[in-house]
Amino acid sequence: MRGVRYTKTKKFWTKSFMSWAESLALDDEVDTIVFRHKFAAVRRQLEDLERIDREIDEVVASRPELAAMVARLTCVHGIGRVTAFSLVAEVYDFGRFRRGSALASYLGLVPSESSSGERVARGGITKLGNSHLRRLLVEAAGCYGAGANVARAQRTDVSPAVAAKAAMCRDRLLRRRQALRERGVPANKAKVAIARELAEWVYHIMVMPG
């Protein structure tokens, strides 16, 4: 804005950045008023997100079955607490789907088809079903991009079998994303492809015993 840049660190939205932004005064008083108004709106949104995070923690902590499901989901690379809670809240019984592809279809992550005689043409994803969860999984798929940080602390809140399955998911999707990149597949199309397969891995992780 008006050529003003934050240069103290390379990271934004840190305490240092927030302090700098709160005290920022631009040359034009009107610009300063507008900036502070917009920044205050961002602060309110961040505070809302923090409140939501606390509420999720309280609900999950009070219900062991939810805690177990969220723990499984957050083992999966790219899936954080909010996405995990959203999946549990919207789907809950993953076993009601017969297979992983059925969950992907529920999320609208399967290719559309048009048929004419013996000819079958595949198009983009259907975008039918639960659009909120579809968006969350596509965002999660972005974590498998170049330079992804795949380090994970050892989990004690899930079984070794679940942790191993989540590690297999991570390794498989990282390889798949690299293969798509080498083929020159556009980034957005690649993210959707990863999200579709991620949905199937989520299904298997949630219905597996142990």
Side-chain angles (χ1 to χ4, degrees):
M1 182 178 182
R2 299 294 187 267
V4 178
R5 295 181 180 276
Y6 175 71
T7 58
K8 291 184 178 180
T9 66
K10 293 183 179 180
K11 294 184 178 181
F12 298 95
W13 307 112
T14 60
K15 289 183 179 180
S16 175
F17 172 81
M18 300 297 278
S19 296
W20 171 82
E22 285 178 339
S23 61
L24 182 63
L26 302 170
D27 293 337
D28 190 318
E29 184 179 0
V30 174
D31 287 342
T32 300
I33 293 172
V34 171
F35 173 79
R36 290 181 176 173
H37 175 74
K38 292 183 177 296
F39 183 73
V42 171
R43 285 297 299 262
R44 287 193 295 272
Q45 289 183 333
L46 292 173
E47 290 168 357
D48 285 344
L49 290 174
E50 290 176 357
R51 177 179 52 78
I52 291 170
D53 280 347
R54 290 194 300 270
E55 291 174 349
I56 288 175
D57 285 343
E58 291 171 0
V59 171
V60 170
S62 67
R63 298 179 60 180
E65 74 279 12
L66 290 185
M69 296 174 76
V70 168
R72 284 195 177 207
L73 287 166
T74 53
C75 275
V76 180
H77 179 68
I79 295 183
R81 179 176 48 195
V82 173
T83 297
F85 186 79
S86 297
L87 283 163
V88 170
E90 298 271 3
V91 179
Y92 194 77
D93 181 13
F94 288 82
R96 63 192 171 96
F97 298 100
R98 294 182 60 187
R99 55 180 67 90
S101 58
L103 175 60
S105 178
Y106 167 73
L107 300 177
L109 286 170
V110 295
S112 58
E113 289 186 0
S114 61
S115 302
S116 177
E118 297 182 356
R119 180 177 176 275
V120 178
R122 291 181 179 271
I125 59 172
T126 63
K127 294 186 179 180
L128 300 174
N130 195 309
S131 60
H132 174 59
L133 293 185
R134 180 171 64 249
R135 178 180 59 81
L136 290 177
L137 280 193
V138 171
E139 288 182 359
C143 295
Y144 293 86
N149 180 8
V150 298
R152 281 276 184 173
Q154 186 173 2
R155 298 287 292 263
T156 59
D157 53 351
V158 296
S159 69
V162 169
K165 192 78 168 180
M168 289 172 60
C169 167
R170 176 199 63 205
D171 295 343
R172 156 66 186 173
L173 294 186
L174 286 170
R175 291 194 303 270
R176 176 89 191 283
R177 183 64 182 88
Q178 178 63 27
L180 293 172
R181 188 180 302 111
E182 292 173 355
R183 285 168 46 193
V185 175
N188 286 339
K189 188 174 181 179
K191 281 175 64 175
V192 172
I194 296 298
R196 184 194 185 285
E197 190 166 339
L198 178 60
E200 297 199 25
W201 279 97
V202 162
Y203 168 81
H204 291 293
I205 287 170
M206 294 306 291
V207 300
M208 69 180 292

